[in-house]
Amino acid sequence: MKQLVILSGKGGTGKTTVAAALAHLASQALPIVLADADVDAANLELVLEPNQLEEHEFWSGKRATIDPELCTSCGVCESVCRFDAILAPTDASSGGAYQVEALSCEGCASCYYQCPEDAISMEDQHAGLWFRSDSRFGPLFHAHLFAGQENSGKLVTLVKQQGRLAASDLDAELLIIDGPPGIGCPVISASAGADMALLVVEPTVSGVHDLERILGTTEHFGVPAVVVINKADLNEKRSMEVAAFCAGRDVAVVGEIPYDTVVTEAMVHGRPVTAYTDGAVTRALAGVWHCVKERLML
Ligand code: SF4
Ligand code: SF4
């Protein structure tokens, strides 16, 4: 089973459009499993309209909680918290006890160890949900991280792990991972162990810079990368810059997708663009899939 991760140096480059299209095209040729690893903004489900089969809680990270019955308002916790997450009592509503500002708490537990009254406990956080669903193109594993929660890298790893297990059980030949944007910890989690990264870039002012950053990440972790330029005809000069940069780094450009409003139209109808039209965008994406398939030897 091969793993293809689809990444971009920043959000909004059309990464999910490409992932959904490849899911559609690949599923016509071989059994696949899908994982939406963009757990902060899971969009693949909007295009694939999955039928949810399972829902699971995701618990992660610790947060300090103060028991107002035990707190004697000594202020030690406030003085040791480096994240300014402890609030001194300001009115009678807190009963005179100190409180933890949950969004600021990093879970370091300094306050827990320093409280002379054992008034502080460290509690697991219900940080999100993950799902197993069926889609038109194969099983889909996806997740939602709750607002303000961290550890999305851990949730990405979980979603990917579930996808890999399902792919193994079902003898699927390809796991397609719609990765998170950027270059942070979730991207590293999504890329780990991948056989290929498909990097989606747009011909914008920051296009080459964004590509350079994400390429640095994939190279560092030894994941071979190829590039697709989305909306390539919107700025041909910038597209040529991207192509020249790729040539200089010995990275193949496996396709250039033209700009077309039909992409948005297809999304509004809940369809991958390749399942919606057979125009120039679909032909370009079919070319991308052909190159990826060849390179992965599928
Ligand atoms: S260290 Fe403990 S007792 Fe002192 S203010 Fe903080 S929670 Fe209350
Ligand atoms: S666990 Fe750490 S970050 Fe959270 S309130 Fe205590 S000292 Fe501050």
Side-chain angles (χ1 to χ4, degrees):
M1 184 260 299
K2 300 286 176 61
Q3 295 182 54
L4 170 69
V5 63
I6 300 167
L7 300 171
S8 60
K10 68 176 182 68
T13 61
K15 180 174 57 59
T16 298
T17 297
V18 173
L22 293 193
H24 167 234
L25 296 169
S27 70
Q28 294 180 326
L30 40 88
I32 66 166
V33 171
L34 304 161
D36 190 345
D38 191 355
V39 299
D40 287 297
N43 287 330
L44 203 50
E45 62 199 44
L46 302 179
V47 193
L48 301 187
E49 295 186 322
N51 175 31
Q52 191 180 305
L53 302 176
E54 294 175 18
E55 176 181 304
H56 303 269
E57 293 179 345
F58 171 65
W59 290 76
S60 178
K62 301 269 189 190
R63 293 281 186 277
T65 303
I66 295 175
D67 182 344
E69 298 292 322
L70 298 177
C71 176
T72 56
S73 304
C74 69
V76 168
C77 53
E78 186 186 26
S79 66
V80 299
C81 180
R82 293 167 52 213
F83 302 97
D84 294 330
I86 305 272
L87 306 175
T90 52
D91 55 41
S93 66
S94 64
Y98 278 60
Q99 292 179 308
V100 177
E101 216 281 290
L103 285 179
S104 303
C105 176
E106 293 285 329
C108 70
S110 295
C111 58
Y112 167 76
Y113 289 113
Q114 297 293 331
C115 175
E117 307 295 337
D118 285 339
I120 301 177
S121 54
M122 299 300 298
E123 296 178 2
D124 281 326
Q125 296 296 299
H126 183 199
L129 298 166
W130 68 270
F131 314 93
R132 183 172 77 87
S133 300
D134 260 346
S135 79
R136 285 166 287 186
F137 311 124
L140 169 69
F141 293 85
H142 48 132
H144 295 166
L145 192 70
F146 295 154
Q149 294 292 339
E150 294 174 5
N151 270 327
S152 54
K154 199 171 163 189
L155 184 53
V156 166
T157 300
L158 192 154
V159 165
K160 230 179 83 174
Q161 186 183 49
Q162 293 297 324
R164 267 205 314 267
L165 286 172
S168 170
D169 285 349
L170 298 168
D171 281 334
E173 290 183 49
L174 179 64
L175 173 64
I176 296 180
I177 303 155
D178 185 11
I183 57 168
C185 168
V187 174
I188 294 165
S189 302
S191 309
D195 297 285
M196 180 188 289
L198 176 61
L199 311 181
V200 183
V201 59
E202 282 186 346
T204 59
V205 175
S206 65
V208 168
H209 174 68
D210 295 334
L211 176 58
E212 192 170 15
R213 283 169 12 120
I214 188 67
L215 198 54
T217 305
T218 54
E219 283 177 352
H220 181 79
F221 290 96
V223 179
V226 295
V227 166
V228 58
I229 306 174
N230 191 25
K231 301 177 186 168
D233 52 342
L234 277 188
N235 190 329
E236 290 180 0
K237 180 170 166 277
R238 297 279 181 207
S239 288
M240 285 167 65
E241 282 175 15
V242 170
F245 170 81
C246 290
R249 295 283 285 262
D250 204 18
V251 173
V253 176
V254 294
E256 296 193 5
I257 303 167
Y259 172 75
D260 195 325
T261 54
V262 75
V263 173
T264 310
E265 207 178 294
M267 279 218 158
V268 169
H269 285 84
R271 307 275 299 279
V273 65
T274 48
Y276 188 76
T277 172
D278 57 3
V281 171
T282 290
R283 290 196 294 278
L285 283 161
V288 170
W289 164 238
H290 179 75
C291 289
V292 166
K293 187 160 64 84
E294 295 278 300
R295 285 171 178 267
L296 285 174
M297 293 188 284
L298 289 166

